[in-house]
């Protein structure tokens, strides 16, 4: 992680690590994608026997993306956590979608977190996607906490229990977010 300071603004990025990841998976000269995942993409579990070679490659890509996501890239949180659900038995389609996230990152290498901007205050955003997981029917919770206009905490994950309504899913999302704030 690179930390730089210029005129009272502190910046954090993982550009060097990102370049290493793109080179490792031969994604440095690809046509960039404009979103971390294709619109409407809903992955399904792989029912085929486990392919150990594919599984290893997939776990390497997802592990690298998780490290980026947790460090300085909240923009890929949903896509990476969605694809990380299939690390035990990925399909070729799952592997290609993980590489699609790399295509997105290849076009966004200069993104960084910047602290010390003129914006003041604490802003919190929370949302839930009711029963979006077709397999388990669990809702996805996501939140973003901004301080002075920069992300300080973020999360995207499946909720622990199945919500019976969109209101209940939103309530659970707000509860998780408030717990993080406290």
């Amino acid at each position: 992680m690179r930390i730089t300071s210029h005129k009272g603004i502190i910046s954090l990025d993982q550009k060097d690590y990102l370049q290493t990841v793109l080179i490792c998976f031969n994604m440095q000269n690809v046509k960039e994608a404009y979103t971390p995942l294709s619109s409407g993409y809903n992955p399904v579990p792989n029912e085929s026997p486990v392919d150990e070679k594919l599984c290893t490659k997939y776990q390497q890509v997802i592990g690298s993306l998780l490290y980026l996501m947790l460090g300085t890239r909240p923009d890929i949180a949903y896509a990476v956590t969605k694809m990380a659900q299939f690390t035990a038995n990925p399909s070729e389609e799952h592997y290609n979608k993980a590489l699609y996230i790399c295509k997105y990152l290849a076009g966004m290498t200069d993104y960084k977190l910047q602290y010390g901007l003129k914006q003041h205050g604490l802003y919190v955003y929370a949302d839930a996607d009711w029963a979006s997981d077709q397999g388990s029917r669990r809702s996805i919770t996501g939140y973003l906490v901004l301080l002075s206009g920069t992300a300080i905490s973020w999360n995207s994950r499946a909720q622990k229990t199945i919500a019976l309504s969109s209101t209940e899913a939103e309530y659970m999302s707000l509860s998780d977010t408030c717990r993080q704030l406290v």
Side-chain angles (χ1 to χ4, degrees):
M1 185 179 296
R2 179 176 32 204
I3 302 170
T4 56
S5 178
H6 180 70
K7 295 184 180 179
I9 297 175
I10 297 172
S11 300
L12 289 115
D13 71 73
Q14 291 174 289
K15 187 174 181 177
D16 294 339
Y17 179 73
L18 174 56
Q19 292 297 338
T20 303
V21 169
L22 294 174
I23 290 168
C24 179
F25 299 110
N26 201 23
M27 300 297 291
Q28 68 272 25
N29 294 319
V30 295
K31 184 179 178 202
E32 65 188 52
Y34 297 103
T35 58
L37 273 181
S38 305
S39 178
Y41 176 66
N42 193 14
V44 294
N46 184 16
E47 301 298 329
S48 304
V50 177
D51 179 349
E52 293 297 330
K53 191 173 181 180
L54 178 62
C55 192
T56 300
K57 288 191 320 185
Y58 186 75
Q59 289 172 355
Q60 289 173 341
V61 173
I62 293 298
S64 299
L65 294 174
L66 280 167
Y67 184 75
L68 282 165
M69 177 198 82
L70 292 171
T72 59
R73 297 303 298 254
D75 55 328
I76 62 171
Y78 175 78
V80 174
T81 55
K82 187 71 165 169
M83 298 312 297
Q85 297 173 11
F86 306 100
T87 54
N89 187 13
S91 66
E92 194 67 38
E93 178 188 7
H94 294 140
Y95 181 69
N96 290 334
K97 289 301 179 181
L99 293 180
Y100 186 88
I101 299 170
C102 291
K103 286 182 183 182
Y104 167 77
L105 291 170
M108 311 294 175
T109 57
D110 292 328
Y111 275 25
K112 59 181 89 173
L113 297 175
Q114 293 185 317
Y115 299 93
L117 302 171
K118 298 287 183 197
Q119 301 165 345
H120 296 289
L122 180 70
Y123 293 90
V124 182
Y125 301 92
D127 198 8
D129 189 0
W130 182 46
S132 62
D133 188 329
Q134 298 298 319
S136 69
R137 305 304 298 165
R138 290 187 181 190
S139 303
I140 302 296
T141 285
Y143 65 79
L144 174 67
V145 180
L146 302 173
L147 181 62
S148 294
T150 303
I152 60 169
S153 180
W154 56 88
N155 194 1
S156 175
R157 64 173 179 77
Q159 292 181 350
K160 294 177 182 168
T161 58
I162 298 172
L164 300 177
S165 69
S166 60
T167 302
E168 186 178 0
E170 294 287 348
Y171 177 77
M172 286 192 273
S173 177
L174 287 172
S175 175
D176 287 348
T177 304
C178 289
R179 202 171 15 262
Q180 173 65 21
L181 283 173
V182 169

